[in-house]
C-alpha cells in the first residue's frame, strides 16, 4: 500500500486514530518520493480538505500536515483545480493558525510555508480574503520579528500573493512595498535622517531574508507601476547595491575555483581536497550597511562572496559554508536583477536617467585593464573601474546570473527607440557634454562590450541570450546619428562565431541577428551586404550559398531566406541586380518537397515585391516601369500560379500576401491578360478550408478593390462583395478582421467611384439583397471585437453615403438604418480613439448623402428618431473629447450636410456648438486642457470652415453678432 493510501485510511477512519499514527502517516506521505501519477488532483485535494477537518491546529500532527499541504500544492496540485469551497477550508485553516498567538515558531513557519503555496498566482480565489490576510502577513514580515524564518516565510507569502494579482490588490501594494523595503534598509519616517542598519551577510538566515525580500519585491513591482512613481526611497540605489555586491577580482576567483571543482574542471593540486580544506584566501567577514532617508539612499557595501545557483554546484559541495554562501548570493543577485527588469518593463522612463549607472561608458578602460593582447582575459583582472552589467555578463562564473543580466538588458532596450534616438556622435568637441553625446558614448561602449561578449561566451544558452540582447538593441538604435563601425563589429564577430560553432540553435540565432542588422538602411550595412569586410565575405553571396546548400540544416536555410528578405526590403537597389541569381534560387525552392521551404521563398518574393513598388514610385523612368511589369509577369505565371494550387496552407497564404504586395500603379500597367490571371488566382482562395488562407485572401482582395480598373468593374465589385460577406460571417476572428478591413476598402472604393462617375448607380453593382447583408454584417462587426470596430464603422459610413433613396424607401430598410445609426452613435460615444475617429468619419460620409434619412422627414416638420442623439454625440466628440483628431473629424462631419433640413430640431445646438468650439480654440487659456497642441490649429481652421459652411443658414441677427468669427 502506498503512502497516500495509508494516509487516506487514517484521515477517513471510522475509529479515532492516535496522534502518533496520524503523524507517522503524514510524515511518510510527505517524505515519499513516489510519483503516484494515477492519483488525481481532486483526490489529493480531498485529503487536504479532510485534514483541515480532523486535525485541529493544536494537534501534534498539525505541523506535519502543513508540510504535507505545502508539498502537494507546490509540486502536484494545479491551483486552478481547487474549487472555491475547498480553497475556503484550506485558507481558513491556515489563517486561523496565524491568528493564534501562542504557537511554537516551527509550527508558525510550517503554516506560513503552506500558505505561500496556496497564494502563488491565485488572486482569483484569494482576493476576498485580503482584508484578513494582508495585515497578518505584514505583522509577521515586520523587521522587528526576531525569528527570521517566520519573517522570511511571511515575506514569501506577500510575494506570492502579489504574483499575478493585478488590480485586485491595488489597495495593498504600497503597504507591502514599504514592508519589503523595511527588510532591506531602514527608512526614517521623520525624514530628518536615515537610521543605520547592518546586515551580517555571513548569517545564512539574513541572506535568505534578503533573497526572499527581493523576490517578493519583484512580484510587487511587476504588478503595480505606481510603486516606483510614488516611492519616497531610492529604490534604484537599493537594487544597484545588491546587484553589484561582490563584483570584484578576488570574489570571482573564489567562485570560479568553486565552479571548476564542482564540474571537474579544476587542474590544481588541491582539487582532490574537501572544499573546506583548500588553501583559499578569503576576504574578511563582510558587513552590509545602508542608510536611507526619505529622499535618498547612501550605500556602503563591503565585498561579499559571489552568487551561484543550486544547479551549478554538485551535491557533494552543497553543504559546505562556501557553497551555501555562493548559492544564497546567486539568488540575491538574480532577484535584484529581476527587480530591475520589472522596473524596466513597467516604468522604463524612471530607469532611463539611471542607465549610466548600469552601463557606464568606461568599457574602453575596462578592456585595457582586462585584456591579454587583443583579447579579453578569461578571468577578471582589474578592479580599477566601476563594475557594470557588462562586467557581470562577461565575467560572472555562473550562467544563470549571466542569463538574468541578458534578460534585464533586453527589458531595458525593448521599446527604448525614442530615448535612444537622441544619441548623436559629433566630430567637434566642446566643454559641454550634452545628453545626446552621453547616450552616444554609452552606446559606443555597449556595442563594444556586447561584441566581445559574443566571442567570450562559452555557454550556448547564454550566447543565445546575448544575441537576443544584440537583436533588441539594434532594433531600437538610430544608427544614422552614430559613427560607422558598430554594426560592422557585430557582423565580423557573428561571422567568426558562424565558422567556429556547430550548434544549430546558435547558428539560427546568428542569422536572426544578421537579419536585424540587414534591416538597417545605412551605407555601412550596404557595404557588408555587397563587399564584406576584411576576411569576412559579403552577406548576400554567403546567404545565397547557404539557402541553396542542400547539405545544410533546413532551419538554417529558412533563416537565410529571412535575411535575404530583409536585404530586399531595405537595400533593394543592391538586390535588383542579383535577381537572375535569386530567381534560380527561388526556382529550386519552389520545387522543394518541404512546404516550409516553398513558403519562405515565397515570403522573399513578397518582400521583393514590396520593395519593387517603392522603387517604382521613387523613379519616373520608363525603364523602371518596364522592369517592374516584366518581373510581375514572370512571378504571376511562374510562382503565384503554382503556389495558389499548392496543398500547403502556408504556401497559399503567402501567395495571397505576394498579390497584396502589388502596387496600384503596377497593376494598372499590367497587360489585361495578367490582370485577369491575378484575379483568377485570387478569387477562389477566400473559400479555402484553412482559415489562414481565407484571411490572407481577404486582405489581398481588400487591396485589389481600390485599383481603378477593378473598382469600376461591376462584375468584380459584385463578386468581391459576396466573398467579403462570407468572410464577415466566418467563425475565425482573424478572417473576420481581414474581411472587415476589405469591406471598409470596398465601401471606400464605392465612394470614390460615386464621386468620379456621374453615371454611377449602386444598383448596377450591388443588389438590394447584397446591400442589406453588407449593412447587417458591418453593423454586427461594429459591435463585435474591438479590433473589428474601426473598419466596420468605416464601412457603414461609406455604404450609407452611396445608398440610393430607392433602397432607403424599401419597407425593410428602416430597421437596418436605425440599427446602423445606433451603432455609429455608440462608437462615437465610447471605444478606442481609432474607433471614435472612424465613427466620426463615417458620420461625415453619411451626411454627404442628400437622401440619407436624417433630420426632418420629407415634407414634414417631424424628424427621424435618431437625429437628436446622433448630433448630440457629434457635438460631444467635438467639444469634450481629449483627442484632437477625433474633435477635428466631428467638426468636419457637421460641415457635411447640404441642407439645413438635415439638422432637424438640432440646428440651434449645432451652430452654437461650432461657435463655442471656435471661440474656445481662439482663447489661449483653454489650450492647456488638451495634450495634442500640434492639432490645435487644425481644429481651429476646421471649426472656422464649418462655421462658414453653416453661415448661409444662420439668421441675420446671428450673422451680425458673429461677423468677427467669420
Amino acid at each position: 500500500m502506498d503512502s497516500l493510501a495509508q494516509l487516506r485510511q487514517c484521515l477517513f477512519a471510522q475509529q479515532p486514530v492516535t496522534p502518533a499514527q496520524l503523524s507517522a502517516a503524514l510524515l511518510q506521505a510527505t517524505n515519499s518520493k513516489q510519483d503516484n501519477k494515477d492519483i488525481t488532483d481532486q483526490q489529493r485535494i480531498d485529503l487536504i480538505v479532510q485534514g483541515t477537518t480532523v486535525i485541529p491546529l493544536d494537534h501534534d500532527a498539525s505541523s506535519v500536515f502543513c508540510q504535507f499541504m505545502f508539498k502537494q500544492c507546490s509540486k502536484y496540485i494545479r491551483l486552478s483545480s481547487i474549487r472555491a469551497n475547498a480553497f475556503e477550508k484550506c485558507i481558513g485553516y491556515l489563517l486561523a493558525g496565524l491568528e493564534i498567538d501562542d504557537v511554537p515558531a516551527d509550527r508558525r513557519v510550517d503554516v506560513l510555508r503552506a500558505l505561500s503555496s496556496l497564494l502563488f498566482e491565485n488572486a482569483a480565489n484569494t482576493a476576498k480574503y485580503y482584508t484578513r490576510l494582508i495585515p497578518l502577513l505584514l505583522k509577521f514580515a515586520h523587521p522587528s520579528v526576531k525569528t527570521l524564518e517566520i519573517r522570511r516565510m511571511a515575506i514569501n507569502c506577500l510575494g506570492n500573493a502579489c504574483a499575478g494579482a493585478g488590480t485586485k490588490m491595488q489597495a495593498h501594494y504600497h503597504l507591502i512595498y514599504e514592508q519589503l523595503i523595511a527588510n532591506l534598509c531602514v527608512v526614517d519616517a521623520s525624514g530628518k535622517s536615515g537610521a543605520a542598519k547592518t546586515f551580517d551577510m555571513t548569517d545564512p538566515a539574513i541572506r535568505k531574508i534578503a533573497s526572499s525580500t527581493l523576490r517578493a519585491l519583484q512580484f510587487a513591482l511587476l504588478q503595480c507601476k505606481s510603486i516606483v512613481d510614488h516611492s519616497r526611497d531610492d529604490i534604484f540605489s537599493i537594487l544597484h547595491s545588491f546587484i553589484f555586491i561582490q563584483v570584484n577580482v578576488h570574489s570571482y576567483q573564489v567562485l570560479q575555483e568553486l565552479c571548476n571543482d564542482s564540474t571537474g574542471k579544476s587542474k590544481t593540486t588541491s582539487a582532490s581536497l574537501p572544499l573546506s580544506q583548500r588553501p583559499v584566501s578569503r576576504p574578511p567577514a563582510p558587513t552590509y550597511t545602508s542608510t536611507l532617508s526619505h529622499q535618498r539612499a547612501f550605500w556602503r557595501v563591503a565585498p561579499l562572496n559571489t552568487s551561484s545557483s543550486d544547479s551549478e554546484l554538485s551535491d557533494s559541495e552543497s553543504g559546505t559554508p562556501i557553497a551555501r554562501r555562493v548559492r544564497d548570493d546567486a539568488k540575491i543577485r538574480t532577484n535584484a536583477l529581476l527587480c530591475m527588469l520589472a522596473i524596466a518593463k513597467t516604468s522604463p522612463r524612471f530607469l532611463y536617467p539611471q542607465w549610466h549607472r548600469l552601463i557606464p561608458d568606461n568599457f574602453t578602460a575596462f578592456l585595457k585593464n582586462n585584456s591579454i593582447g587583443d583579447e579579453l582575459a578569461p578571468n577578471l583582472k582589474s578592479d580599477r573601474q566601476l563594475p557594470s552589467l557588462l562586467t557581470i555578463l562577461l565575467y560572472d562564473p555562473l550562467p544563470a546570473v549571466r542569463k538574468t543580466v541578458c534578460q534585464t538588458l533586453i527589458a531595458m532596450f525593448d521599446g527604448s527607440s525614442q530615448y535612444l534616438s537622441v544619441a548623436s556622435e559629433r566630430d567637434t568637441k566642446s566643454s559641454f557634454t550634452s545628453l545626446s553625446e552621453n547616450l552616444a558614448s554609452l552606446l559606443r561602449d555597449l556595442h563594444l562590450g556586447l561584441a566581445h561578449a559574443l566571442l567570450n561566451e562559452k555557454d550556448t544558452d547564454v550566447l543565445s541570450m546575448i544575441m537576443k540582447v544584440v537583436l533588441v538593441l539594434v532594433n531600437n538604435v538610430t544608427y544614422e546619428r552614430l559613427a560607422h563601425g558598430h554594426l560592422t563589429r557585430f557582423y565580423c564577430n557573428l561571422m567568426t562565431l558562424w565558422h567556429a560553432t556547430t550548434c544549430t540553435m546558435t547558428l539560427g540565432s546568428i542569422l536572426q541577428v544578421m537579419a536585424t542588422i540587414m534591416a538597417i538602411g545605412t551605407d555601412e550595412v550596404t557595404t557588408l551586404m555587397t563587399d564584406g569586410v576584411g576576411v569576412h565575405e559579403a552577406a548576400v553571396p554567403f546567404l545565397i550559398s547557404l539557402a541553396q546548400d542542400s547539405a545544410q540544416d533546413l532551419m538554417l536555410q529558412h533563416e537565410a531566406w529571412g535575411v535575404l528578405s530583409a536585404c530586399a526590403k531595405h537595400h533593394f537597389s543592391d538586390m535588383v541586380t542579383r535577381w537572375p541569381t535569386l530567381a534560380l534560387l527561388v526556382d529550386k525552392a519552389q520545387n522543394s518537397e518541404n512546404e516550409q521551404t516553398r513558403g519562405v521563398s515565397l515570403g522573399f518574393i513578397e518582400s521583393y515585391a514590396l520593395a519593387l513598388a517603392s522603387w517604382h514610385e521613387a523613379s519616373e523612368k520608363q525603364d523602371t516601369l518596364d522592369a517592374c511589369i516584366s518581373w510581375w509577369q514572370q512571378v504571376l505565371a511562374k510562382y503565384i500560379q503554382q503556389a495558389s494550387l499548392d496543398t500547403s496552407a502556408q504556401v497559399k497564404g503567402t501567395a495571397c500576401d505576394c498579390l497584396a504586395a502589388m502596387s496600384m500603379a503596377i497593376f494598372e500597367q499590367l497587360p489585361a491578360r495578367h490582370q485577369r490571371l491575378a484575379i483568377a488566382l485570387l478569387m477562389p482562395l477566400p473559400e479555402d478550408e484553412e482559415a489562414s488562407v481565407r484571411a490572407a485572401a481577404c486582405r489581398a482582395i481588400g487591396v485589389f478593390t481600390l485599383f481603378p480598373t477593378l473598382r469600376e468593374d461591376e462584375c468584380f465589385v459584385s463578386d468581391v462583395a459576396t466573398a467579403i460577406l462570407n468572410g464577415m460571417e466566418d467563425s475565425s476572428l482573424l478572417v473576420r478582421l481581414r474581411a472587415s478591413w476589405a469591406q471598409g476598402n470596398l465601401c471606400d472604393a464605392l465612394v470614390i467611384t460615386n464621386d468620379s462617375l456621374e453615371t454611377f448607380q449602386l444598383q448596377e453593382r450591388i443588389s438590394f439583397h447584397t446591400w442589406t447583408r453588407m449593412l447587417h454584417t458591418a453593423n454586427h462587426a461594429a459591435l463585435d471585437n474591438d479590433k473589428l470596430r474601426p473598419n466596420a464603422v468605416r464601412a457603414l459610413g461609406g455604404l450609407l453615403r452611396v445608398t440610393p433613396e430607392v433602397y432607403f424607401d424599401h419597407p425593410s430598410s428602416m430597421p437596418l438604418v436605425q440599427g446602423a445609426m445606433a451603432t455609429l452613435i455608440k462608437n462615437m460615444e465610447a471605444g478606442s480613439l481609432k474607433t471614435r475617429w472612424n465613427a466620426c468619419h463615417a458620420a461625415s460620409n453619411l451626411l454627404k448623402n442628400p437622401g440619407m434619412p436624417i433630420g426632418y422627414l420629407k415634407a414634414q416638420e417631424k424628424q427621424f428618431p435618431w437625429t437628436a442623439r446622433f448630433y448630440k454625440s457629434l457635438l460631444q466628440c467635438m467639444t469634450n473629447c481629449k483627442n484632437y483628431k477625433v474633435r477635428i473629424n466631428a467638426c468636419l462631419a457637421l460641415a457635411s450636410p447640404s441642407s439645413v433640413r438635415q439638422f432637424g430640431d438640432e440646428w440651434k445646438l449645432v451652430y452654437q456648438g461650432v461657435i463655442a468650439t471656435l471661440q474656445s480654440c481662439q482663447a489661449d487659456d483653454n489650450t492647456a486642457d488638451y495634450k495634442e497642441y500640434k492639432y490645435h490649429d487644425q481644429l481651429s481652421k476646421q471649426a472656422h470652415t464649418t462655421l462658414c459652411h453653416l453661415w448661409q443658414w444662420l439668421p441675420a441677427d446671428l450673422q451680425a453678432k458673429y461677423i468677427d468669427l467669420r
Side-chain angles (χ1 to χ4, degrees), residues 422-642:
V422 176
S424 177
E425 290 182 284
R426 299 188 308 184
D427 295 332
T428 59
K429 300 295 181 181
S430 66
S431 58
F432 172 73
T433 304
S434 63
L435 172 62
S436 61
E437 290 174 296
N438 281 330
L439 270 179
S441 178
L442 183 147
L443 286 174
R444 181 178 61 249
D445 281 19
L446 182 58
H447 280 78
L448 185 59
L450 290 173
H452 279 85
L454 286 171
L455 297 182
N456 198 58
E457 185 55 59
K458 300 299 186 290
D459 186 284
T460 53
D461 290 339
V462 180
L463 181 58
S464 294
M465 290 296 296
I466 292 173
M467 283 192 266
K468 287 182 181 178
V469 175
V470 173
L471 188 150
V472 175
L473 177 66
V474 172
N475 267 330
N476 284 275
V477 171
T478 306
Y479 286 95
E480 291 81 358
R481 296 169 60 89
L482 301 179
H484 284 194
H486 301 311
L487 296 175
T488 299
R489 188 179 291 111
F490 278 155
Y491 180 80
C492 291
N493 288 6
L494 288 170
M495 293 300 290
T496 300
L497 266 178
W498 178 271
H499 296 293
T501 186
T502 57
C503 175
T504 302
M505 294 304 296
T506 300
L507 294 173
S509 297
I510 290 172
L511 290 173
Q512 289 172 7
V513 177
M514 196 176 292
T516 306
I517 292 174
M518 294 301 136
I520 305 300
T522 61
D523 294 339
E524 178 185 2
V525 176
T526 302
T527 301
L528 297 177
M529 280 179 48
T530 57
D531 302 330
V533 56
V535 298
H536 303 292
E537 61 185 306
V540 174
F542 163 72
L543 294 166
I544 291 175
S545 174
L546 176 60
Q548 67 185 1
D549 186 357
S550 57
Q552 282 287 357
D553 187 280
L554 277 176
M555 186 198 79
L556 299 181
Q557 293 184 45
H558 299 160
E559 291 288 355
W561 278 109
V563 187
L564 286 170
S565 296
C567 293
K569 276 184 181 180
H570 302 279
H571 304 273
F572 183 77
S573 59
D574 297 287
M575 292 289 285
V576 68
T577 57
R578 299 176 185 269
W579 172 247
T581 303
L582 293 168
L584 295 175
L585 195 61
V586 175
D587 289 345
K588 181 180 179 181
Q590 285 300 297
N591 292 320
S592 170
E593 295 181 358
N594 184 275
E595 65 178 62
Q596 193 171 357
T597 300
R598 301 196 298 274
V600 294
S601 62
L602 268 183
F604 168 76
I605 293 291
E606 179 196 2
S607 299
Y608 194 98
L610 288 169
L612 185 77
S614 300
W615 182 56
H616 171 249
E617 289 176 6
S619 174
E620 298 180 356
K621 297 180 180 179
Q622 184 63 36
D623 291 348
T624 302
L625 177 60
D626 293 342
C628 294
I629 300 301
S630 174
W631 185 87
W632 266 110
Q633 288 175 320
Q634 176 188 359
V635 167
L636 282 170
K638 197 171 186 181
Y639 303 129
I640 307 298
Q641 186 168 5
Q642 177 182 340

Side-chain angles (χ1 to χ4, degrees), residues 802-860:
V802 298
T803 300
E805 290 190 45
V806 64
Y807 280 7
F808 286 133
D809 292 338
H810 196 281
S812 61
S813 295
M814 279 304 103
L816 287 172
V817 173
Q818 184 175 7
M821 296 301 290
T823 298
L824 279 177
I825 290 167
K826 182 176 181 179
N827 282 285
M828 281 194 288
E829 293 176 344
S832 67
L833 292 176
K834 184 177 181 181
T835 298
R836 297 183 71 184
W837 186 93
N838 276 282
C840 292
H841 178 72
S844 176
N845 252 339
L846 67 89
L847 287 173
K848 290 178 181 177
N849 184 350
M852 178 68 199
I854 189 83
Y856 290 130
L857 295 167
K858 294 179 181 178
Q860 297 183 33

Side-chain angles (χ1 to χ4, degrees), residues 380-400:
L380 188 65
K381 292 174 54 181
S382 172
D383 291 327
R384 294 178 185 174
Q385 60 284 315
L386 290 173
S388 71
L389 292 183
L390 292 178
T391 312
I392 303 174
L393 179 61
L394 289 166
Y395 282 118
D396 196 294
L398 303 168

